[in-house]
Amino acid sequence: MKNNPNKKYMKPESLMMSYGYKPELSEGALKCPIFLTSTFVFKNAEEGKAFFEVAYGLREKKENEELGLIYSRLNNPDLEILENRLTLWDNADDAAVFESGMSAISTSMLTFLNPGDTLLYSNPLYGGSHHFINHVLTRFGINIIDFNSTDSKTDILNKLEEKGLSDSVKMIYVETPGNPTNSLIDINMCSELSKELSSEESKTLLVVDNTYLGPVWQNPLNLGADLIVYSATKYIGGHSDVIAGAVLGNSKLMAEIKGMRTFLGNMAGPWTGWLLMRSLETLKMRMETQAVNAAKVAEFLNAHPKVEKVYYLGNLSAEENPKEFEIYKNQCKGPGAMISFDIKGGEKEAFKFLNNLKLITLAVSLGSTESLAEHPFSMTHADVSTEIKESVSITERLVRLSIGVENPDDIISDIKQALNSI
């Protein structure tokens, strides 16, 4: 699909309705149809040969040559147009969309990590990412070593040196803000670290999970990251009705990821692509509304006598959190809509709060139009060791909120009555 030349002059939210789509190729349909087909017809054998040569990397695409459609495991109009539009938010060369966030994460790691390599990763992580790193990657002879947001670059280098792994780090994987406490990892620092750990023969890649702030509030590629991964189920999808993931980066790295995706067969299907295209049209409006609501919820929680601590980026200040505040101002465009807080007490009090919510739904996931609440210690991060959880403030009294687009007064009223039940 040929890209719209207005890309240079318009904002992403203006292009989400039309970029990369030619109505004349689809009977003039205003919106891209759902292309429910497994395979595509070639005009002639020569065209089929040419398409496969490029698809399998047998030759480079010629100047002005448009890649044709072959088979929906390789490419599909819904997937291609969606990927074109996703690149606009993060200023990426290319994007690859998958059937889940975990397939995007796992494919990225499997593409670039080999037996004997080391993965350096941040804590806390989403529980699924933590499990894959600790219980799957290690089965393939890949070394792993973690660090916390409180660790400096020197601390991290010392950890690697002590374990004799400095020369084998092939990927730094960070989630920032971290799920569920909004802990911040300095992307610029990690970019410097990746350069120091790289050699002439082998580059150390920096991969950032940007799910928590989404493409509206943070753009890691502009800060030195090599790749961004998303659970597109969250803010990009935004309606709790689709499971998807995405990876974005430069053309060379994305070609390798798309090659691995072809043979793992975990690309998103046309229905998923169509749903995400629909959601991209309202992404900025939804995320802005959620952020405004979250600021009001945080203000209420900050003053509540039954709340011990609130983990919200908007609470950071130069006086009380100088290091975190500096990172926040440098790499975040806004505080987002994720809030966690410690209830005074423990699991009993946290569960009572969750069980008494009326408007806010008790469910995992985040970034959707409806507000959600969950208990990370026993739910999303249940598989993470107690030692690690406690080191990053994931305790039995912690509750995580994903703030939706409802009326903020109603959200606060619901939280108030649930806290009053304790």
Side-chain angles (χ1 to χ4, degrees):
M1 294 292 169
K2 190 174 181 180
N3 291 341
N4 189 315
N6 290 330
K7 174 182 178 180
K8 294 180 181 178
Y9 310 109
M10 295 185 182
K11 301 294 185 184
E13 60 267 29
S14 301
L15 295 171
M16 287 303 118
M17 279 60 78
S18 60
Y19 184 74
Y21 173 59
K22 289 181 176 180
E24 62 269 24
L25 297 180
S26 299
E27 301 292 340
L30 175 67
K31 295 294 185 184
C32 178
I34 306 173
F35 286 85
L36 293 174
T37 183
S38 60
T39 194
F40 297 89
V41 177
F42 304 132
K43 293 176 183 176
N44 49 55
E46 288 79 8
E47 182 180 72
K49 176 184 178 181
F51 290 175
F52 267 95
E53 284 175 342
V54 176
Y56 280 91
L58 302 177
R59 66 171 175 85
E60 293 293 322
K61 190 171 66 169
K62 297 175 184 175
E63 189 176 355
N64 298 323
E65 180 182 11
E66 286 195 42
L67 260 187
L69 298 164
I70 297 173
Y71 186 69
S72 281
R73 181 165 55 83
L74 300 170
N75 49 13
N76 178 284
D78 297 291
L79 194 57
E80 289 199 351
I81 296 167
L82 167 64
E83 290 171 346
N84 286 338
R85 292 179 185 178
L86 271 177
T87 63
L88 301 177
W89 289 106
D90 283 300
N91 195 29
D93 290 346
D94 198 5
V97 179
F98 297 78
E99 276 296 338
S100 72
M102 279 310 307
S103 60
I105 292 165
S106 58
T107 301
S108 299
M109 292 180 179
L110 292 173
T111 300
F112 299 108
L113 293 172
N114 294 305
D117 290 345
T118 296
L119 171 70
L120 175 65
Y121 70 96
S122 64
N123 273 320
L125 291 180
Y126 162 62
S129 304
H130 188 274
H131 182 93
F132 181 78
I133 289 169
N134 282 267
H135 301 291
V136 179
L137 280 185
T138 50
R139 290 167 46 199
F140 297 97
I142 295 168
N143 305 305
I144 60 172
I145 186 167
D146 62 351
F147 66 97
N148 292 347
S149 60
T150 54
D151 291 330
S152 67
K153 184 171 72 171
T154 301
D155 293 332
I156 297 169
L157 287 170
N158 287 340
K159 282 185 179 182
L160 291 168
E161 190 67 31
E162 287 170 10
K163 293 185 177 291
L165 297 174
S166 302
D167 296 333
S168 63
V169 178
K170 295 299 184 290
M171 180 180 288
I172 303 171
Y173 182 86
V174 301
E175 182 181 296
T176 182
N179 181 359
T181 58
N182 273 315
S183 58
L184 290 173
I185 303 292
D186 188 338
I187 297 174
N188 284 149
M189 179 273 285
C190 290
S191 178
E192 293 173 6
L193 188 60
S194 71
K195 291 180 175 66
E196 289 183 28
L197 294 171
S198 296
S199 65
E200 291 184 10
E201 298 77 27
S202 178
K203 177 176 171 54
T204 299
L205 298 178
L206 172 58
V207 182
V208 177
D209 184 333
N210 198 37
T211 299
Y212 236 50
L213 281 183
V216 171
W217 304 124
Q218 185 171 260
N219 304 112
L221 294 181
N222 295 339
L223 298 161
D226 296 294
L227 293 169
I228 302 172
V229 296
Y230 287 106
S231 171
T233 307
K234 311 305 191 290
Y235 288 106
I236 292 171
H239 293 79
S240 294
D241 57 6
V242 61
I243 300 290
V247 184
L248 298 91
N250 67 47
S251 299
K252 181 179 182 299
L253 296 177
M254 292 309 304
E256 294 186 63
I257 286 176
K258 285 189 171 181
M260 179 66 82
R261 183 182 68 173
T262 293
F263 297 105
L264 291 179
N266 54 8
M267 72 297 301
W271 176 240
T272 295
W274 186 88
L275 282 172
L276 290 178
M277 274 194 280
R278 171 218 59 183
S279 294
L280 282 180
E281 296 184 7
T282 60
L283 174 65
K284 191 165 189 283
M285 291 183 289
R286 286 185 284 107
M287 292 190 71
E288 287 178 337
T289 299
Q290 288 164 313
V292 169
N293 286 352
K296 294 177 180 179
V297 171
E299 184 180 11
F300 168 79
L301 290 171
N302 288 338
H304 201 283
K306 292 182 180 177
V307 174
E308 194 171 284
K309 182 175 181 180
V310 179
Y311 303 87
Y312 170 63
L313 293 180
N315 282 350
L316 296 175
S317 69
E319 294 75 27
E320 295 183 16
N321 324 88
K323 179 186 174 185
E324 293 87 346
F325 185 74
E326 184 179 353
I327 295 171
Y328 170 70
K329 296 301 289 184
N330 182 52
Q331 67 189 38
C332 306
K333 298 178 179 178
M338 295 301 300
I339 301 172
S340 290
F341 64 95
D342 291 330
I343 285 181
K344 287 185 178 177
E347 183 183 279
K348 178 183 175 183
E349 288 75 16
F351 279 17
K352 193 162 188 183
F353 168 81
L354 292 168
N355 291 337
N356 278 279
L357 291 168
K358 309 297 183 188
L359 174 67
I360 300 172
T361 305
L362 175 55
V364 297
S365 198
L366 59 96
S368 189
T369 49
E370 71 282 332
S371 294
L372 299 174
E374 64 108 1
H375 188 248
F377 191 94
S378 64
M379 296 176 188
T380 50
H381 293 70
D383 186 54
V384 180
S385 73
T386 300
E387 180 184 359
I388 291 176
K389 282 190 282 197
E390 289 180 350
S391 74
V392 291
S393 302
I394 303 174
T395 63
E396 292 180 321
R397 63 183 180 276
L398 184 74
V399 171
R400 189 188 77 180
L401 299 176
S402 172
I403 305 302
V405 301
E406 304 96 339
N407 183 284
D409 293 337
D410 291 334
I411 299 172
I412 291 169
S413 177
D414 192 34
I415 294 170
K416 182 178 181 179
Q417 66 82 26
L419 284 170
N420 288 342
S421 72
I422 300 173

